[in-house]
Amino acid sequence: MGRMTNAAGSPPAPIVARLTEADAAKQRGLRRMKALATGLLAAVAVVYALATAAEHGGAGPWAGYVAAAAEAGMVGALADWFAVTALFRRPLGLPIPHTAIIPTKKDQLGQSLGDFVGENFLSEQV
């Protein structure tokens, strides 16, 4: 198949979606939350590096506890990122099994949700 062109023989112009003010506010909020999460991950990584350096410098046992807590924070942040990303798309574009669950199974999820609501909330017994 060839590329699509318009009557003048040039590629069609991209469709420009116009966002409502509410959509724009949601996008700003999403960008703010992403920046906050990334900033917190970077801060915890810095705390980990400093605590590890302090531990190796003989600062005492407290540095090991701080390093372990910071390490746990980094692991938790990355696990949460992967879990949320895996629901909606393929992380890093890799074809990892059981990822992009929402887009690939949305019809099945919708049917299951409809059945659940019908059986548990809309039945005569309830």
Side-chain angles (χ1 to χ4, degrees):
M1 287 241 165
R3 289 179 35 177
M4 292 181 47
T5 58
N6 61 16
S10 61
I15 297 173
V16 178
R18 302 207 187 266
L19 297 178
T20 64
E21 184 58 37
D23 290 338
K26 286 179 185 177
Q27 280 192 337
R28 284 191 301 273
L30 178 62
R31 278 194 299 272
R32 189 172 41 252
M33 285 296 116
K34 283 183 176 183
L36 176 64
T38 303
L40 289 173
L41 176 60
V44 172
V46 168
V47 168
Y48 174 76
L50 293 173
T52 301
E55 183 181 20
H56 291 303
W62 66 268
Y65 292 118
V66 172
E71 185 177 10
M74 289 188 299
V75 169
L78 292 173
D80 288 346
W81 168 80
F82 182 81
V84 171
T85 301
L87 282 174
F88 296 98
R89 59 181 181 207
R90 301 206 180 276
L92 307 174
L94 300 173
I96 300 169
H98 307 296
T99 58
I101 296 166
I102 301 292
T104 56
K105 296 190 179 224
K106 67 180 178 181
D107 294 334
Q108 181 182 358
L109 290 168
Q111 183 64 44
S112 296
L113 181 60
D115 292 344
F116 176 80
V117 169
E119 292 171 8
N120 295 296
F121 296 104
L122 302 177
S123 66
E124 288 185 22
Q125 296 88 2
V126 177

